[in-house]
Coordinates of all heavy atoms in Angstrom, one line a residue:
M12 N -3.6 9.5 -3.0 CA -3.3 8.5 -4.0 C -1.8 8.6 -4.3 O -1.3 7.5 -4.6 CB -4.2 8.8 -5.3 CG -5.6 8.8 -5.1 SD -6.2 7.2 -4.5 CE -7.9 7.7 -4.0
R13 N -1.3 9.8 -4.3 CA 0.2 9.9 -4.6 C 1.0 9.2 -3.6 O 2.0 8.5 -3.9 CB 0.6 11.4 -4.7 CG 0.0 12.1 -5.8 CD 0.9 12.3 -7.0 NE 2.3 12.2 -6.9 CZ 3.2 13.2 -7.0 NH1 2.7 14.5 -7.2 NH2 4.5 13.0 -7.0
L14 N 0.6 9.2 -2.3 CA 1.3 8.5 -1.2 C 1.3 7.0 -1.6 O 2.3 6.3 -1.5 CB 0.7 8.8 0.1 CG 0.9 10.1 0.7 CD1 0.1 10.3 2.0 CD2 2.4 10.4 1.0
E15 N 0.1 6.5 -1.9 CA 0.0 5.1 -2.2 C 0.9 4.7 -3.4 O 1.5 3.6 -3.4 CB -1.5 4.8 -2.6 CG -2.4 4.8 -1.5 CD -3.8 4.5 -1.9 OE1 -4.0 3.8 -2.9 OE2 -4.8 4.9 -1.2
Q16 N 1.0 5.6 -4.4 CA 1.7 5.3 -5.6 C 3.2 5.5 -5.5 O 4.0 4.8 -6.0 CB 1.2 6.1 -6.8 CG -0.2 5.7 -7.1 CD -0.9 6.6 -8.1 OE1 -0.3 7.7 -8.4 NE2 -2.1 6.3 -8.6
D17 N 3.6 6.6 -4.7 CA 5.0 7.0 -4.7 C 5.9 6.4 -3.6 O 7.1 6.2 -3.8 CB 5.1 8.5 -4.6 CG 4.6 9.2 -5.8 OD1 4.3 8.5 -6.8 OD2 4.4 10.4 -5.8
L18 N 5.3 6.1 -2.5 CA 6.1 5.5 -1.4 C 6.3 4.0 -1.6 O 5.4 3.3 -2.1 CB 5.3 5.6 0.0 CG 5.2 7.1 0.4 CD1 4.3 7.1 1.7 CD2 6.5 7.7 0.8
W19 N 7.4 3.5 -1.3 CA 7.7 2.0 -1.5 C 6.8 1.2 -0.7 O 6.5 0.0 -1.1 CB 9.2 1.7 -1.3 CG 9.6 1.8 0.2 CD1 10.1 2.9 0.8 CD2 9.6 0.8 1.1 NE1 10.4 2.6 2.1 CE2 10.1 1.3 2.3 CE3 9.2 -0.6 1.1 CZ2 10.2 0.6 3.5 CZ3 9.3 -1.3 2.3 CH2 9.8 -0.7 3.5
Y20 N 6.3 1.7 0.4 CA 5.3 1.0 1.2 C 3.9 1.6 1.1 O 3.0 1.3 1.9 CB 5.7 1.0 2.7 CG 6.0 2.5 3.2 CD1 4.9 3.2 3.7 CD2 7.3 3.0 3.2 CE1 5.2 4.5 4.2 CE2 7.5 4.3 3.6 CZ 6.4 5.0 4.1 OH 6.7 6.3 4.5
G21 N 3.7 2.3 0.0 CA 2.4 3.0 -0.2 C 1.2 2.1 -0.3 O 0.1 2.6 -0.1
F22 N 1.4 0.9 -0.7 CA 0.3 0.0 -0.8 C -0.4 -0.2 0.6 O -1.5 -0.7 0.7 CB 0.7 -1.4 -1.4 CG 1.5 -2.3 -0.5 CD1 0.9 -3.4 0.1 CD2 2.8 -2.0 -0.3 CE1 1.6 -4.2 0.9 CE2 3.6 -2.8 0.5 CZ 3.0 -3.9 1.1
L23 N 0.3 0.1 1.7 CA -0.2 0.0 3.0 C -1.0 1.3 3.5 O -1.7 1.3 4.5 CB 0.9 -0.3 4.0 CG 1.5 -1.7 3.9 CD1 2.7 -1.8 4.9 CD2 0.5 -2.8 4.1
V24 N -0.8 2.4 2.7 CA -1.4 3.6 3.0 C -2.9 3.6 2.6 O -3.2 3.3 1.5 CB -0.7 4.8 2.3 CG1 -1.4 6.1 2.6 CG2 0.8 4.9 2.8
D25 N -3.7 4.0 3.6 CA -5.2 4.0 3.3 C -5.7 5.3 4.0 O -6.0 5.2 5.2 CB -5.8 2.7 3.7 CG -7.3 2.7 3.3 OD1 -7.7 3.5 2.5 OD2 -8.0 1.8 3.8
V26 N -5.8 6.3 3.3 CA -6.3 7.6 3.8 C -7.7 7.9 3.3 O -7.9 7.9 2.1 CB -5.3 8.8 3.5 CG1 -5.8 10.1 4.0 CG2 -3.9 8.5 3.9
D27 N -8.6 8.3 4.2 CA -9.9 8.7 3.8 C -9.9 10.2 3.6 O -9.5 10.9 4.4 CB -10.9 8.3 4.8 CG -11.1 6.8 4.9 OD1 -11.0 6.1 3.9 OD2 -11.4 6.4 6.1
V28 N -10.3 10.7 2.4 CA -10.3 12.1 2.0 C -11.7 12.6 1.8 O -12.5 11.9 1.2 CB -9.4 12.3 0.8 CG1 -9.4 13.8 0.4 CG2 -8.0 11.9 1.0
Y29 N -12.0 13.7 2.3 CA -13.4 14.3 2.2 C -13.3 15.7 1.6 O -12.4 16.5 1.9 CB -14.1 14.4 3.5 CG -14.4 13.0 4.1 CD1 -13.5 12.3 4.8 CD2 -15.7 12.5 3.9 CE1 -13.8 11.0 5.3 CE2 -16.0 11.2 4.3 CZ -15.1 10.5 5.0 OH -15.4 9.3 5.5
D30 N -14.2 16.0 0.7 CA -14.4 17.4 0.2 C -15.6 17.9 1.0 O -16.8 17.7 0.6 CB -14.7 17.3 -1.3 CG -14.9 18.7 -1.9 OD1 -14.6 19.7 -1.1 OD2 -15.2 18.8 -3.0
G31 N -15.4 18.5 2.1 CA -16.4 18.9 3.1 C -16.9 17.6 3.7 O -16.1 17.0 4.4
V32 N -18.1 17.2 3.5 CA -18.7 16.0 4.1 C -18.7 14.9 3.0 O -19.1 13.8 3.3 CB -20.1 16.2 4.7 CG1 -20.0 17.1 5.9 CG2 -21.1 16.7 3.7
I33 N -18.4 15.2 1.8 CA -18.5 14.3 0.7 C -17.2 13.5 0.6 O -16.1 14.1 0.4 CB -18.8 15.0 -0.6 CG1 -20.1 15.7 -0.5 CG2 -18.9 14.0 -1.8 CD1 -20.5 16.6 -1.7
P34 N -17.2 12.2 0.7 CA -15.9 11.4 0.5 C -15.4 11.5 -0.9 O -16.2 11.4 -1.9 CB -16.3 10.0 0.9 CG -17.8 9.9 0.8 CD -18.3 11.3 0.9
V35 N -14.1 11.6 -1.0 CA -13.5 11.6 -2.4 C -13.0 10.1 -2.5 O -12.1 9.7 -1.8 CB -12.3 12.6 -2.4 CG1 -11.6 12.4 -3.8 CG2 -12.7 14.0 -2.2
T36 N -13.6 9.5 -3.4 CA -13.3 8.0 -3.6 C -12.4 7.8 -4.8 O -12.3 8.7 -5.7 CB -14.6 7.2 -3.8 OG1 -15.2 7.7 -5.0 CG2 -15.6 7.4 -2.7
R37 N -11.8 6.6 -4.8 CA -11.0 6.3 -6.0 C -11.9 6.3 -7.2 O -11.5 6.7 -8.3 CB -10.4 4.9 -5.8 CG -9.5 4.8 -4.6 CD -9.0 3.4 -4.4 NE -8.1 3.0 -5.4 CZ -6.8 3.1 -5.5 NH1 -6.2 3.7 -4.4 NH2 -6.1 2.7 -6.5
H38 N -13.1 5.8 -7.1 CA -14.1 5.8 -8.2 C -14.4 7.2 -8.7 O -14.4 7.4 -9.9 CB -15.4 5.1 -7.8 CG -16.4 5.1 -8.9 ND1 -16.3 4.2 -10.0 CD2 -17.6 5.8 -9.1 CE1 -17.4 4.4 -10.8 NE2 -18.1 5.4 -10.3
S39 N -14.6 8.2 -7.8 CA -14.9 9.5 -8.2 C -13.7 10.2 -8.9 O -13.8 11.2 -9.6 CB -15.3 10.4 -7.0 OG -14.2 10.6 -6.1
L40 N -12.5 9.6 -8.7 CA -11.3 10.1 -9.4 C -11.0 9.3 -10.6 O -9.9 9.6 -11.3 CB -10.1 10.1 -8.4 CG -10.2 11.0 -7.2 CD1 -9.0 10.7 -6.2 CD2 -10.3 12.5 -7.6
G41 N -11.8 8.4 -11.0 CA -11.6 7.6 -12.2 C -10.5 6.5 -12.0 O -10.0 6.0 -13.0
L42 N -10.2 6.2 -10.7 CA -9.2 5.2 -10.5 C -9.9 3.8 -10.2 O -11.0 3.8 -9.7 CB -8.4 5.6 -9.3 CG -7.6 6.9 -9.5 CD1 -6.9 7.3 -8.2 CD2 -6.5 6.7 -10.5
P43 N -9.1 2.7 -10.4 CA -9.7 1.4 -10.1 C -9.8 1.2 -8.6 O -9.1 1.9 -7.8 CB -8.7 0.5 -10.7 CG -7.4 1.2 -10.8 CD -7.8 2.7 -11.0
P44 N -10.6 0.3 -8.2 CA -10.8 0.1 -6.7 C -9.5 -0.4 -6.1 O -8.6 -1.0 -6.8 CB -11.9 -1.0 -6.6 CG -11.9 -1.6 -7.9 CD -11.5 -0.6 -8.9
R45 N -9.3 -0.2 -4.8 CA -8.1 -0.6 -4.1 C -8.0 -2.1 -4.2 O -9.0 -2.8 -4.0 CB -8.2 -0.2 -2.7 CG -7.0 -0.4 -1.8 CD -7.3 0.2 -0.5 NE -6.1 0.1 0.4 CZ -5.0 0.8 0.4 NH1 -5.0 1.8 -0.4 NH2 -4.0 0.6 1.2
S46 N -6.8 -2.7 -4.4 CA -6.6 -4.1 -4.6 C -6.4 -4.8 -3.2 O -5.7 -4.2 -2.3 CB -5.5 -4.4 -5.5 OG -5.8 -3.9 -6.8
C47 N -6.8 -6.0 -3.1 CA -6.5 -6.8 -1.9 C -5.0 -7.1 -1.9 O -4.4 -7.4 -2.9 CB -7.4 -8.1 -2.0 SG -6.9 -9.4 -0.8
Y48 N -4.5 -7.1 -0.6 CA -3.0 -7.4 -0.5 C -2.8 -8.9 -0.9 O -1.7 -9.2 -1.3 CB -2.6 -7.3 1.0 CG -2.8 -5.9 1.6 CD1 -3.4 -5.8 2.8 CD2 -2.4 -4.8 0.9 CE1 -3.6 -4.6 3.4 CE2 -2.5 -3.5 1.5 CZ -3.2 -3.4 2.7 OH -3.3 -2.2 3.3
V49 N -3.7 -9.8 -0.7 CA -3.5 -11.2 -0.8 C -3.7 -11.7 -2.3 O -2.9 -12.3 -2.8 CB -4.4 -12.0 0.2 CG1 -4.2 -13.5 0.0 CG2 -4.1 -11.6 1.6
C50 N -4.9 -11.3 -2.8 CA -5.3 -11.9 -4.1 C -5.4 -10.9 -5.3 O -5.5 -11.3 -6.4 CB -6.6 -12.7 -4.0 SG -8.0 -11.7 -3.7
G51 N -5.4 -9.6 -5.0 CA -5.4 -8.6 -6.0 C -6.9 -8.3 -6.5 O -7.1 -7.4 -7.3
S52 N -7.9 -9.0 -5.9 CA -9.3 -8.6 -6.2 C -9.6 -7.3 -5.5 O -8.8 -6.8 -4.7 CB -10.2 -9.7 -5.7 OG -10.0 -10.9 -6.3
P53 N -10.7 -6.6 -5.9 CA -11.0 -5.4 -5.1 C -11.1 -5.7 -3.6 O -11.8 -6.7 -3.2 CB -12.4 -5.1 -5.7 CG -12.4 -5.6 -7.1 CD -11.6 -6.9 -7.0
S54 N -10.4 -4.9 -2.8 CA -10.2 -5.2 -1.4 C -11.6 -5.3 -0.7 O -11.7 -6.0 0.3 CB -9.3 -4.3 -0.8 OG -9.7 -3.0 -0.9
K55 N -12.5 -4.4 -1.1 CA -13.8 -4.4 -0.4 C -14.5 -5.8 -0.4 O -15.1 -6.2 0.5 CB -14.7 -3.3 -0.9 CG -14.4 -2.0 -0.4 CD -15.5 -1.0 -0.9 CE -15.1 0.4 -0.4 NZ -16.1 1.4 -0.9
E56 N -14.4 -6.4 -1.6 CA -15.0 -7.7 -1.7 C -14.4 -8.7 -0.7 O -15.1 -9.5 -0.1 CB -14.8 -8.3 -3.1 CG -15.5 -7.6 -4.2 CD -15.2 -8.2 -5.6 OE1 -14.6 -9.3 -5.7 OE2 -15.5 -7.5 -6.6
C57 N -13.1 -8.7 -0.6 CA -12.4 -9.6 0.3 C -12.7 -9.4 1.7 O -12.9 -10.3 2.5 CB -10.9 -9.6 0.0 SG -10.4 -10.2 -1.6
V58 N -12.8 -8.1 2.1 CA -13.1 -7.7 3.5 C -14.6 -8.2 3.8 O -14.8 -8.8 4.8 CB -13.0 -6.2 3.7 CG1 -13.5 -5.8 5.0 CG2 -11.5 -5.8 3.6
V59 N -15.5 -7.8 2.9 CA -16.9 -8.2 3.1 C -17.1 -9.7 3.2 O -17.8 -10.2 4.1 CB -17.8 -7.6 2.0 CG1 -19.2 -8.1 2.1 CG2 -17.8 -6.1 2.1
K60 N -16.4 -10.4 2.4 CA -16.6 -11.9 2.3 C -15.6 -12.6 3.3 O -15.6 -13.9 3.3 CB -16.4 -12.4 0.9 CG -17.5 -11.9 0.0 CD -17.3 -12.3 -1.5 CE -18.4 -11.8 -2.4 NZ -18.2 -12.1 -3.8
S61 N -14.8 -11.9 4.0 CA -13.7 -12.5 4.9 C -13.0 -13.6 4.1 O -12.9 -14.7 4.6 CB -14.4 -13.0 6.1 OG -15.0 -12.0 6.8
R62 N -12.5 -13.3 3.0 CA -11.9 -14.3 2.1 C -10.6 -14.8 2.7 O -10.2 -16.0 2.4 CB -11.6 -13.7 0.7 CG -12.7 -13.7 -0.2 CD -12.3 -13.3 -1.6 NE -13.4 -13.3 -2.5 CZ -13.6 -12.5 -3.5 NH1 -12.6 -11.6 -3.7 NH2 -14.6 -12.5 -4.2
H63 N -9.8 -14.0 3.4 CA -8.5 -14.4 3.8 C -8.3 -14.3 5.3 O -8.8 -13.4 5.9 CB -7.4 -13.5 3.1 CG -7.7 -13.3 1.7 ND1 -7.6 -14.3 0.8 CD2 -8.0 -12.2 1.0 CE1 -7.9 -13.8 -0.4 NE2 -8.1 -12.5 -0.3
S64 N -7.6 -15.3 5.8 CA -7.3 -15.3 7.3 C -6.4 -14.2 7.6 O -5.6 -13.7 6.8 CB -6.8 -16.7 7.7 OG -5.5 -16.8 7.2
R65 N -6.4 -13.7 8.8 CA -5.5 -12.7 9.3 C -4.0 -13.1 9.1 O -3.2 -12.4 8.6 CB -5.8 -12.2 10.7 CG -4.9 -11.1 11.1 CD -5.4 -10.5 12.4 NE -6.7 -9.9 12.1 CZ -7.3 -9.0 12.9 NH1 -6.7 -8.6 14.0 NH2 -8.5 -8.5 12.6
P66 N -3.7 -14.3 9.6 CA -2.2 -14.8 9.4 C -1.8 -14.8 8.0 O -0.7 -14.3 7.7 CB -2.2 -16.2 10.0 CG -3.3 -16.2 11.0 CD -4.4 -15.3 10.4
R67 N -2.7 -15.3 7.1 CA -2.3 -15.3 5.7 C -2.1 -13.9 5.1 O -1.2 -13.6 4.4 CB -3.4 -16.0 4.9 CG -3.0 -16.2 3.4 CD -4.0 -17.0 2.7 NE -3.6 -17.1 1.3 CZ -4.4 -17.3 0.3 NH1 -5.6 -17.4 0.4 NH2 -3.9 -17.4 -1.0
T68 N -2.9 -13.0 5.5 CA -2.8 -11.6 5.1 C -1.5 -11.0 5.6 O -0.8 -10.3 4.8 CB -4.0 -10.8 5.6 OG1 -5.2 -11.4 5.1 CG2 -4.0 -9.3 5.1
I69 N -1.2 -11.2 6.9 CA 0.0 -10.7 7.4 C 1.2 -11.2 6.7 O 2.2 -10.5 6.4 CB 0.1 -10.9 9.0 CG1 -1.0 -10.1 9.7 CG2 1.5 -10.6 9.5 CD1 -1.2 -10.5 11.1
V70 N 1.3 -12.5 6.5 CA 2.4 -13.1 5.7 C 2.5 -12.5 4.4 O 3.6 -12.1 3.9 CB 2.2 -14.6 5.7 CG1 3.2 -15.2 4.7 CG2 2.4 -15.3 7.0
K71 N 1.4 -12.3 3.7 CA 1.4 -11.7 2.3 C 2.0 -10.3 2.4 O 2.7 -9.9 1.5 CB 0.0 -11.8 1.8 CG -0.3 -12.0 0.4 CD 0.5 -13.0 -0.4 CE 0.0 -12.8 -1.8 NZ 0.7 -13.6 -2.8
I72 N 1.6 -9.5 3.4 CA 2.0 -8.2 3.5 C 3.5 -8.1 3.8 O 4.3 -7.4 3.2 CB 1.3 -7.4 4.6 CG1 -0.2 -7.2 4.2 CG2 1.9 -6.1 5.0 CD1 -1.1 -6.6 5.3
W73 N 4.0 -9.0 4.6 CA 5.5 -9.1 4.9 C 6.3 -9.4 3.7 O 7.3 -8.8 3.4 CB 5.8 -10.0 6.1 CG 5.7 -9.4 7.4 CD1 4.7 -9.6 8.4 CD2 6.6 -8.4 7.9 NE1 5.0 -8.7 9.4 CE2 6.1 -8.0 9.2 CE3 7.7 -7.8 7.5 CZ2 6.7 -7.1 10.0 CZ3 8.4 -6.8 8.2 CH2 7.9 -6.5 9.5
I74 N 5.8 -10.4 3.0 CA 6.5 -10.8 1.8 C 6.5 -9.7 0.8 O 7.6 -9.4 0.2 CB 5.8 -12.1 1.1 CG1 6.0 -13.3 2.0 CG2 6.3 -12.3 -0.3 CD1 5.2 -14.5 1.6
S75 N 5.4 -9.0 0.6 CA 5.4 -7.8 -0.3 C 6.3 -6.7 0.2 O 7.0 -6.1 -0.6 CB 3.9 -7.3 -0.4 OG 3.8 -6.3 -1.4
L76 N 6.3 -6.4 1.5 CA 7.2 -5.4 2.0 C 8.6 -5.7 1.8 O 9.4 -4.9 1.4 CB 6.9 -5.2 3.5 CG 5.8 -4.3 3.9 CD1 5.6 -4.3 5.4 CD2 6.1 -2.8 3.5
I77 N 9.0 -7.0 2.0 CA 10.4 -7.4 1.8 C 10.8 -7.2 0.4 O 11.8 -6.7 0.0 CB 10.6 -8.8 2.4 CG1 10.5 -8.8 3.9 CG2 12.0 -9.3 1.9 CD1 10.4 -10.2 4.5
G78 N 9.9 -7.7 -0.5 CA 10.2 -7.6 -1.9 C 10.3 -6.2 -2.4 O 11.2 -5.8 -3.2
R79 N 9.4 -5.3 -1.9 CA 9.5 -3.9 -2.3 C 10.7 -3.2 -1.7 O 11.3 -2.4 -2.4 CB 8.2 -3.2 -1.9 CG 7.0 -3.5 -2.7 CD 5.8 -3.1 -2.1 NE 4.6 -3.7 -2.7 CZ 3.8 -3.0 -3.5 NH1 4.0 -1.7 -3.7 NH2 2.8 -3.6 -4.1
A80 N 11.1 -3.6 -0.5 CA 12.3 -3.0 0.1 C 13.5 -3.4 -0.7 O 14.4 -2.5 -0.9 CB 12.4 -3.5 1.6
I81 N 13.6 -4.6 -1.1 CA 14.7 -5.0 -2.0 C 14.7 -4.3 -3.3 O 15.7 -3.7 -3.7 CB 14.7 -6.6 -2.1 CG1 15.0 -7.2 -0.8 CG2 15.7 -7.0 -3.2 CD1 14.7 -8.7 -0.8
L82 N 13.5 -4.3 -3.9 CA 13.4 -3.6 -5.2 C 13.8 -2.1 -5.2 O 14.4 -1.6 -6.1 CB 12.0 -3.8 -5.7 CG 11.6 -3.2 -7.1 CD1 12.3 -4.0 -8.2 CD2 10.1 -3.2 -7.3
H83 N 13.4 -1.5 -4.1 CA 13.6 0.0 -4.0 C 14.9 0.3 -3.2 O 15.2 1.4 -2.8 CB 12.4 0.7 -3.3 CG 11.2 0.7 -4.2 ND1 11.0 1.5 -5.2 CD2 10.1 -0.2 -4.2 CE1 9.9 1.3 -5.8 NE2 9.3 0.2 -5.2
R84 N 15.7 -0.8 -2.9 CA 16.9 -0.6 -2.2 C 16.8 0.2 -0.9 O 17.5 1.2 -0.6 CB 18.0 0.0 -3.0 CG 18.3 -0.8 -4.2 CD 19.3 0.0 -5.1 NE 19.9 -1.0 -6.1 CZ 20.8 -0.6 -6.9 NH1 21.3 0.6 -6.9 NH2 21.3 -1.5 -7.8
V85 N 15.8 -0.2 -0.1 CA 15.5 0.4 1.2 C 16.6 0.0 2.2 O 16.9 -1.2 2.4 CB 14.1 0.1 1.7 CG1 13.9 0.7 3.1 CG2 13.1 0.6 0.7
R86 N 17.1 1.0 2.9 CA 18.1 0.7 3.9 C 17.5 0.5 5.3 O 16.3 0.8 5.4 CB 19.1 1.9 4.0 CG 19.8 2.1 2.7 CD 20.7 3.3 2.8 NE 21.6 3.3 1.6 CZ 22.6 4.0 1.4 NH1 23.0 4.8 2.4 NH2 23.3 3.9 0.3
P87 N 18.2 -0.1 6.2 CA 17.6 -0.4 7.5 C 16.9 0.8 8.2 O 16.1 0.7 9.0 CB 18.8 -0.9 8.4 CG 19.7 -1.4 7.4 CD 19.6 -0.5 6.2
N88 N 17.4 2.1 7.9 CA 16.7 3.2 8.5 C 15.4 3.6 7.8 O 14.8 4.6 8.1 CB 17.7 4.4 8.5 CG 18.0 4.9 7.1 OD1 17.5 4.4 6.1 ND2 18.9 5.9 7.0
G89 N 15.0 2.8 6.8 CA 13.7 3.1 6.1 C 13.8 4.0 4.9 O 12.9 4.2 4.2
K90 N 15.0 4.6 4.7 CA 15.2 5.5 3.5 C 15.7 4.7 2.4 O 16.4 3.7 2.5 CB 16.2 6.6 3.9 CG 15.6 7.5 5.0 CD 16.5 8.7 5.2 CE 15.9 9.6 6.2 NZ 16.7 10.8 6.5
M91 N 15.4 5.1 1.2 CA 15.8 4.5 0.0 C 17.2 5.0 -0.4 O 17.6 6.1 0.0 CB 14.9 4.8 -1.2 CG 13.5 4.1 -1.0 SD 12.5 4.2 -2.5 CE 12.3 5.9 -2.7
R92 N 18.0 4.3 -1.1 CA 19.3 4.7 -1.5 C 19.2 6.0 -2.3 O 18.3 6.1 -3.1 CB 19.9 3.6 -2.4 CG 21.2 4.0 -3.0 CD 21.8 2.9 -3.8 NE 23.0 2.6 -3.2 CZ 23.7 1.4 -3.4 NH1 23.1 0.5 -4.1 NH2 24.8 1.2 -2.8
G93 N 20.0 7.0 -1.9 CA 20.0 8.3 -2.6 C 19.0 9.3 -2.0 O 18.9 10.4 -2.4
E94 N 18.1 8.8 -1.0 CA 17.1 9.6 -0.4 C 17.8 10.7 0.5 O 17.3 11.8 0.6 CB 16.1 8.8 0.3 CG 14.9 9.5 0.7 CD 13.9 8.6 1.3 OE1 14.2 7.6 1.9 OE2 12.7 8.9 1.1
N95 N 18.9 10.3 1.1 CA 19.6 11.3 2.0 C 20.7 11.9 1.2 O 21.6 11.1 0.8 CB 20.1 10.5 3.3 CG 20.7 11.5 4.3 OD1 21.1 12.6 3.9 ND2 20.7 11.0 5.5
S96 N 20.7 13.2 1.1 CA 21.7 13.8 0.2 C 23.2 13.7 0.7 O 24.1 13.8 -0.1 CB 21.4 15.3 0.0 OG 21.4 16.0 1.3
S97 N 23.4 13.4 2.0 CA 24.7 13.3 2.5 C 25.3 11.9 2.2 O 26.5 11.7 2.4 CB 24.7 13.5 4.0 OG 24.0 12.5 4.7
E98 N 24.5 11.0 1.7 CA 25.0 9.7 1.4 C 25.3 9.6 -0.1 O 24.7 10.3 -0.9 CB 24.0 8.6 1.7 CG 23.7 8.5 3.2 CD 22.5 7.6 3.4 OE1 22.8 6.4 3.2 OE2 21.5 8.0 3.8
S99 N 26.2 8.8 -0.5 CA 26.5 8.6 -1.9 C 25.8 7.4 -2.5 O 25.3 6.5 -1.8 CB 28.0 8.5 -2.2 OG 28.5 7.4 -1.4
Ligands
LIG28 ZN1 -8.3 -11.0 -1.6

């Protein structure tokens, strides 16, 4: 969950975590369900109902990535400004 929240591209991270054989879900942690990239509804609903076309989803992801990269001042090497200590 921290990867999803802390990385500028974290909204693309989707890691399945298990405690033994029991899945650790967002619900079990008291967190809201994962949101759809396109409309913000719970993503499972959109996947099950095939609400969005693949091209529309890809465009939405690219727009979101570009917006977040600008917001977080991501450089072409993928690092954020100030992330590399040798840079000023
Ligand atoms: Zn959706």
